[in-house]
Amino acid sequence: MALSARQRRPLPSEASSSSSPSPASYTKLDKPKRSDGGEEADKGLTWALPLFALGVLRYMSATSNIIHDCDEVFNYWEPLHFLLFKSGFQTWEYSSQFALRSYLYLLLHKVVGEPASWLFSEEKVRVFYAVRIFLGLLSVITEAALVVALSRKYGKRLASYALAMLCLTSGCFFASTSFLPSSFSMYAMSLSSALFLFEKPAMAVAVAAIGVILGWPFSVLAFLPITIYSLIRKFKQSFLAGAITSIVLLALSLLVDCTYYRRWTSSALNLLLYNVLGGGESHLYGTEGPLYYLKNGFNNFNFCFILALLFVGVLPIARKKYAPDLFLVVSPIYIWLAFMSLQPHKEERFLYPIYPLICVAAAAVIESFPDFFRDKYNPNHNSLLISIAQTLRPLVLGLILCVSHARTFSLIHGYSAPLEIYKHLDYHDHLGTGSVVCVGSEWHRFPSSFFIPDHVGQVRWIDDGFSGLLPFPFNSTLGGTSAAPPYFNNKNKASDEQYLQDLEKCTFLVELHLQRPYPYRGSDLSTWEVVAALPYLDRELSPPMYRSFFIPYLWQGKNVFGIYKLLKRIPK
């Protein structure tokens, strides 16, 4: 009886099975060393491929990206234009009375914009694209670091899947070169996550502080998981790195704000007070339902977004592979989505900080497909289901990339007319200086003063029924950046001074002509002649599926298009 109770010696087949790591405990570090390459062969992807692939795609984004939000133009491109060329539109947030926007963030871009303005003094539009290329470069560096970190910790396959989606998903393609603090926080999120995976927690916390203070203060919630866990791992180093970085940036921000607003104030504090403690009235600028971000996430990431949300479902199966580090990296997806969905005012750009994490989470799910079907007692056995799951991985990835391209193509070719139409003003310098470009209901698609050549005297708004407050030109007489003009308010109430009353002063007119039962000013051919016209996708009359995604042979025929026009007044 005593002998029968002893543990028997395992059979050779059982010994080999039990010594193999289970799928739940497998990591890249469990791979056997290669005899021909040693440790060098186990380092995963090198920097060359991510830098090259992301560099090509981000350059394409910089040169072809549309402007998705008028806030990008009036709160960032226009103040930057004023810093470089002493002209541009000012919003109420930049009034020294409210001082909600940081000039420190603008100065980061002025470092690139100023040399470009010297080089392209007569072609301001090139300065615009130079700044965009700089934004793309920041995206390339930070996302390449994330891909390399994933490769070294989890292997080439997962990193390659993430790289493909970072390059081609529509959300990352467009957000990467948008001049917005939320995009800057996205860069910081990529780099902070990479440093965390590189096991450099102190540097990860420092970069998180940069993303929050120099970028978007509200993104602090998205950086919390990595920051807290870094403090747990190495409290002293992480705390000091975060504290020193925060103090330096806050002091620098305070000095810069004081210089430009000409009073002691903190734009970061003012923004938080306005939106949180002061009961900010962001709902004045539009509200959306609780499913807005889910719909938006699918439009920009299609099936990649669904897979990213399913990451928590994969975690029990691949717990030892992805927990805790990768789970901590992608956890801001759920925190941020939940928090932002509860806010009444919603905008697409608010999700930018978590865009790279969506790609990482989806890549992890795709890489784990075979793990769903492995026998935990015999993990090396490749069943038919495992073979099918392995085959599905490139197929699902290919589907995501194809649908992403369809989305990108549709947006660029459907909505790029505003960026292109203003470039035609360059061909009318014979009219001399002092001409006036008038814009009515299309004010929110104005691509910025970088597209207005020097021979155009000014851009003016004309009344087409909009009842909110519009931007005014920076008033140098009142003090420029330090001015607190009386026509600004924080209630989105229109000012009597914002519209041009004498329409006879309009030299040019920009209008979008749609199939609507009301007349357009530009329809009067005795007063206006068309000097440029481009198609523009009519969102209201086009079917949602066909307008959102390019489907060959159907996109052009199924969608309805208006005509974006630049018109010139006919001399009397």
Side-chain angles (χ1 to χ4, degrees), residues 34-49:
R34 287 178 51 182
S35 59
D36 59 339
E39 294 184 3
E40 189 66 28
D42 198 43
K43 288 187 176 180
L45 293 177
T46 64
W47 286 85
L49 178 61

Side-chain angles (χ1 to χ4, degrees), residues 243-432:
I244 293 172
T245 303
S246 299
I247 292 170
V248 170
L249 284 178
L250 286 172
L252 188 59
S253 177
L254 185 66
L255 290 173
V256 170
D257 287 342
C258 175
T259 301
Y260 283 94
Y261 288 119
R262 300 290 176 87
R263 69 183 182 93
W264 287 106
T265 186
S266 169
S267 56
L269 180 61
N270 294 338
L271 186 64
L272 290 172
L273 291 175
Y274 171 75
N275 284 281
V276 182
L277 301 180
E281 298 179 281
S282 60
H283 64 275
L284 294 173
Y285 305 95
T287 59
E288 299 288 348
L291 299 180
Y292 173 81
Y293 287 126
L294 296 180
K295 296 176 182 177
N296 187 268
F298 183 80
N299 279 340
N300 285 318
F301 289 92
N302 58 81
F303 301 104
C304 172
F305 184 68
I306 296 175
L307 291 173
L309 295 181
L310 293 176
F311 179 84
V312 289
V314 174
L315 203 58
I317 298 171
R319 183 177 66 255
K320 291 184 180 179
K321 182 164 37 171
Y322 295 144
D325 288 0
L326 194 63
F327 174 67
L328 284 165
V329 166
V330 303
S331 60
I333 296 174
Y334 309 102
I335 298 171
W336 195 243
L337 273 174
F339 174 76
M340 297 308 295
S341 294
L342 294 174
Q343 311 307 311
H345 178 58
K346 299 177 178 67
E347 295 188 39
E348 178 182 330
R349 59 191 168 92
F350 292 170
L351 286 193
Y352 284 5
I354 62 170
Y355 273 8
L357 307 185
I358 293 173
C359 297
V360 173
V365 173
I366 295 173
E367 199 270 342
S368 299
F369 279 176
D371 293 343
F372 284 94
F373 307 103
R374 292 196 190 278
D375 183 350
K376 67 177 181 178
Y377 298 108
N378 191 11
N380 292 328
H381 176 64
N382 286 329
S383 64
L384 177 61
L385 288 176
I386 291 176
S387 298
I388 293 174
Q390 290 172 338
T391 305
L392 278 177
R393 289 191 297 199
L395 294 178
V396 171
L397 179 65
L399 176 63
I400 290 171
L401 300 184
C402 287
V403 178
S404 296
H405 178 71
R407 171 70 173 174
T408 303
F409 185 96
S410 182
L411 289 181
I412 290 176
H413 290 273
Y415 302 106
S416 62
L419 278 174
E420 299 301 321
I421 206 75
Y422 283 87
K423 294 177 182 177
H424 288 267
L425 290 169
D426 280 329
Y427 304 118
H428 298 278
D429 54 348
H430 60 279
L431 296 176

Side-chain angles (χ1 to χ4, degrees), residues 65-78 81 89 124-125 128-129 132 179 415-425 437 439 442-453 459 461 510 564:
N65 195 2
I66 62 175
I67 292 178
H68 301 260
D69 193 322
C70 63
D71 190 72
E72 178 181 355
V73 171
F74 294 116
N75 275 329
Y76 304 103
W77 285 114
E78 285 301 293
H81 188 275
F89 282 100
K124 292 188 295 182
V125 70
F128 174 90
Y129 286 110
R132 267 199 172 177
F179 186 8
Y415 302 106
S416 62
L419 278 174
E420 299 301 321
I421 206 75
Y422 283 87
K423 294 177 182 177
H424 288 267
L425 290 169
V437 176
V439 186
E442 287 303 295
W443 67 268
H444 62 289
R445 296 191 182 102
F446 175 63
S448 84
S449 297
F450 285 94
F451 290 78
I452 304 300
V459 175
W461 315 129
V510 174
Y564 216 91

